[in-house]
Amino acid sequence: MSRVFAYCRVSTADQTTDNQVQEIAAAGFAVQEGRVITETVSGSVPAMERTGFLALLNKLEAADVLIVTKLDRLGRNAMDVRATVERLASMGVPVHCLALGGVDLTSPAGRMTMGVIAAVAEFERDLLVERTQSGLTRAKAQGKTLGRPQSLGEAAIETVVARLAKGEAVAALAREYGTSRQSIMRIRRASAQTNR
């Protein structure tokens, strides 16, 4: 006979998993207290790196059932969620998601749903990259400087270039000007490229 487990996750300590536990019970799943796994960890942490989820994996056997209230309880990254569901499917553990109508994510319909979700996530990621590139192109066209502001003004940069040419140490100049060695080395590289 299959056992029913519930995985309930919240991101911060001021949140509680009580609502998730109640939602699972209200959906008609009788989960014994010892089979409700709760943990507080960000959804951006891959499932296989979470202490509570790993403990759950050690308890699960073929034909057990795992219930989650929403897909994002397994993770926020579509690829990680898919890998987690596939791992559970390979163990013979169906995963039911209440927010998706209780569909078993390891079934053909569930795999199709996961495919659509992954495709939408990839599409959103591509749109974000496209919008970012458009914004950077527009800013460059408007003459805006991109990246971090220079830590030294033009006059200081000219002085640093002259002192580097005389052989002064990068570390000493960085200390004197209150900046990092990397900043002084960047100035040296830029000066060398200009003088080519």
Side-chain angles (χ1 to χ4, degrees):
M1 181 155 175
S2 64
R3 303 173 301 167
V4 179
F5 287 82
Y7 178 69
C8 304
R9 181 192 63 76
V10 290
S11 298
T12 61
D14 60 332
Q15 296 173 317
T16 178
T17 57
D18 293 348
N19 288 346
Q20 294 173 53
V21 173
Q22 289 173 5
E23 193 176 333
I24 289 168
F29 292 98
V31 184
Q32 293 179 5
E33 191 173 323
R35 294 183 184 151
V36 176
I37 308 300
T38 62
E39 72 179 324
T40 303
V41 62
S42 170
S44 62
V45 175
M48 299 305 163
E49 294 177 16
R50 300 182 203 154
T51 308
F53 194 82
L54 289 175
L56 169 65
L57 277 182
N58 289 330
K59 292 180 179 184
L60 289 170
E61 298 172 359
D64 286 343
V65 176
L66 178 62
I67 311 296
V68 293
T69 55
K70 295 180 183 156
L71 206 52
D72 67 355
R73 298 304 87 197
L74 290 175
R76 290 193 197 126
N77 178 314
M79 301 307 285
D80 179 49
V81 171
R82 185 161 72 186
T84 302
V85 170
E86 286 173 357
R87 168 101 182 251
L88 292 164
S90 73
M91 296 169 57
V93 176
V95 182
H96 293 270
C97 178
L98 299 182
L100 296 175
V103 67
D104 170 11
L105 299 175
T106 63
S107 70
R111 284 195 303 275
M112 183 191 75
T113 302
M114 291 293 294
V116 169
I117 289 168
V120 169
E122 186 176 341
F123 176 67
E124 287 177 347
R125 205 168 33 251
D126 290 346
L127 284 178
L128 178 62
V129 168
E130 187 178 295
R131 284 193 302 266
T132 301
Q133 292 302 321
S134 294
L136 291 172
T137 303
R138 186 181 64 253
K140 281 182 184 177
Q142 293 172 348
K144 294 183 180 175
T145 21
L146 303 175
R148 294 170 63 188
Q150 287 187 339
S151 58
L152 302 177
E154 290 300 319
I157 290 172
E158 288 176 19
T159 305
V160 166
V161 168
R163 291 175 69 179
L164 285 168
K166 291 179 185 175
E168 291 193 39
V170 170
L173 289 169
R175 273 193 303 276
E176 183 179 332
Y177 283 91
T179 190
S180 67
R181 292 178 68 243
Q182 288 77 19
S183 293
I184 301 298
M185 290 188 294
R186 253 191 311 275
I187 291 169
R188 181 172 62 189
R189 275 194 305 273
S191 171
Q193 287 175 352
T194 304
N195 294 329
R196 280 185 182 171

